[in-house]
Amino acid sequence: MPGLFDSFTIKSITLRNRIGVSPMCQYVSNDGMATDWHLVHLGSRAVGGAGLIIAEATAVEPRGRISPTDAGLWSDEHIGPLARITSFISKHGSVPGLQLAHAGRKASAARPWEGDHSLKEEEGGWETVAPSALAFGDKLWKIPKEMTIQDIMDVQESFALAARRAWQAGYKWLELHAAHGYLCHSFYSPISNKRTDQYGGSLENRCRFTVETLARIRAVWPNELPLAVRISCSDWVEGGWTMDESIELARKLKDAGADLIDCSSGFGSPDHRKYPFGPGWQVHFSEAIRREVRIATASVGLITDPVQANEIISSGKADITLLGREMLRDPYWPHRAAKVLNVDLKSIAPAPYAHWI
Ligand code: 8CM
């Protein structure tokens, strides 16, 4: 079994190690445009030695933004600033990835540090869309418009167009955000999907939107480049989405052309009291899907320690680890991990650093 610092090849792409930066919203874009902040934020983590850097949830249409200042890829104008970032990341030995997203009923919200609540139109908010006209909760109180079949087709088209633009911008790895209560998750979870047409009801029907969207992306995203999907493997709620259903969804996604399942969970409803937060609390999901579906997986969620991350890989519980908050604390985490695991720093640190440290 490989370790954290062994390379990982998937399709035509080789990651220099099994350490990835999890997509993390920065909420600092104007009209979806990337800025110097993104170059420095993502670029410093490439210099820091990660093998894969996944840019934050990037909206495929303005309605799909979580907040007014989310990143976006709904027009060709977004491509240029992103291309500058992918070029820098690639030059420094990391693989640039991007997460495509639509926030569904969790859209039109204030930034987390400004309250995380629904924004009225006069506060810069907008009408949201979802499988059913059900608000997320007390804070995200907006009742979304129930999507028509035409709405579904239009959003799927937006995903395909954005995927093509991601490729034009130089991304080598693409992830469909189908977790955390956003649009795809809200279709496959029975909590948020009360439809009676072909997109609701049975497991097959609830999975349809996500599987079709993935297939639309796959049709334009080059076959030799990896395509991942982040799913919520459990709603952690009585009567909600389950691990067994996630295995079924992962099988369908694999058949539709997914190369890797990024295994997260929850956030489809506002009550988090039943979540068993703790170190590596979602690792059993990536382990089960990898074993049952025979597809590559990523593990994410409170991975902070190099020995812990190495064990996840070497025991076959995931093919890559994705670190979020820990990478905010320390963009040089891979350098630190290399020391702990007795790996030659020269293999990941850029020459102007490696010579001295
Ligand atoms: C924010 C935006 C989108 C996401 C998120 C967050 C914050 C935490 C998280 O996921 O786990 O998917």
Side-chain angles (χ1 to χ4, degrees):
M1 283 287 190
L4 189 64
F5 280 94
D6 287 313
S7 63
F8 174 56
T9 298
I10 180 163
K11 292 281 180 73
S12 66
I13 294 300
T14 297
L15 308 181
R16 59 182 162 181
N17 55 48
R18 312 297 184 106
I19 305 167
V21 177
S22 200
M24 286 180 284
C25 290
Q26 300 298 297
Y27 307 103
V28 294
S29 300
N30 281 325
D31 292 326
M33 300 292 279
T35 67
D36 284 355
W37 173 265
H38 298 95
L39 177 68
V40 173
H41 163 66
L42 299 166
S44 57
R45 280 146 189 87
V47 172
L52 171 67
I53 298 180
I54 309 179
E56 70 200 80
T58 301
V60 300
E61 61 166 14
R63 260 188 328 190
R65 292 169 296 168
I66 301 168
S67 80
T69 51
D70 277 28
L73 202 38
W74 60 80
S75 89
D76 288 350
E77 276 162 49
H78 293 109
I79 297 172
L82 293 175
R84 182 168 166 238
I85 297 168
T86 60
S87 165
F88 184 89
I89 291 173
S90 301
K91 266 189 204 135
H92 292 283
S94 296
V95 169
L98 180 122
Q99 189 188 53
L100 283 182
H102 192 299
R105 67 176 183 162
K106 291 177 80 177
S108 183
R111 297 190 276 200
W113 53 90
E114 289 166 350
D116 226 354
H117 50 78
S118 288
L119 291 175
K120 299 178 191 149
E121 249 104 302
E122 58 268 29
E123 296 170 319
W126 55 89
E127 180 187 61
T128 57
V129 293
S132 301
L134 292 169
F136 180 78
D138 292 345
K139 245 173 140 186
L140 292 177
W141 47 261
K142 221 165 226 202
I143 298 173
K145 173 185 172 246
E146 178 177 314
M147 291 171 82
T148 63
I149 299 294
Q150 188 62 48
D151 291 331
I152 288 173
M153 286 176 3
D154 290 348
V155 167
Q156 289 175 331
E157 174 73 4
S158 298
F159 269 101
L161 291 171
R164 190 195 299 267
R165 293 187 190 107
W167 173 71
Q168 288 172 320
Y171 287 99
K172 304 293 184 210
W173 180 293
L174 198 61
E175 174 169 285
L176 169 61
H177 195 351
H180 300 170
Y182 299 117
L183 188 60
C184 287
H185 181 192
S186 70
F187 265 94
Y188 63 73
S189 172
I191 293 174
S192 39
N193 184 344
K194 305 293 177 194
R195 296 176 77 95
T196 53
D197 64 0
Q198 67 269 39
Y199 289 95
S202 66
L203 175 63
E204 179 88 15
N205 283 357
R206 281 181 282 119
C207 289
R208 191 179 311 282
F209 177 80
T210 304
V211 174
E212 279 181 358
T213 303
L214 190 277
R216 288 294 308 272
I217 295 172
R218 183 80 270 180
V220 297
W221 181 249
N223 195 42
E224 69 275 12
L225 294 179
L227 179 55
V229 189
R230 173 168 282 189
I231 64 171
S232 276
C233 293
S234 170
D235 278 335
W236 302 111
V237 167
E238 199 84 12
W241 177 254
T242 65
M243 178 63 216
D244 288 344
E245 289 179 307
S246 294
I247 289 175
E248 283 308 307
L249 173 60
R251 284 204 180 103
K252 293 176 196 297
L253 290 168
K254 182 183 177 187
D255 288 346
D259 301 304
L260 181 140
I261 306 294
D262 175 2
C263 301
S264 190
S265 72
F267 302 105
S269 53
D271 186 359
H272 305 159
R273 277 174 303 183
K274 291 211 173 123
Y275 294 13
F277 289 124
W281 66 295
Q282 299 178 135
V283 174
H284 63 288
F285 293 131
S286 65
E287 181 185 16
I289 288 184
R290 191 170 185 269
R291 186 184 61 237
E292 298 296 323
V293 184
R294 302 200 169 276
I295 187 167
T297 60
S299 187
V300 62
L302 289 176
I303 301 171
T304 58
D305 176 68
V307 172
Q308 171 205 17
N310 192 50
E311 193 273 335
I312 291 169
I313 302 299
S314 64
S315 60
K317 293 178 183 133
D319 295 275
I320 58 173
T321 53
L322 294 176
L323 279 71
R325 284 159 222 243
E326 192 60 14
M327 283 283 187
L328 294 183
R329 287 185 197 101
D330 183 6
Y332 301 102
W333 189 90
H335 295 184
R336 234 174 354 106
K339 267 201 167 163
V340 172
L341 299 171
N342 285 320
V343 170
D344 184 8
L345 246 188
K346 286 199 174 63
S347 71
I348 54 167
Y353 289 13
H355 180 74
W356 307 103
I357 54 181

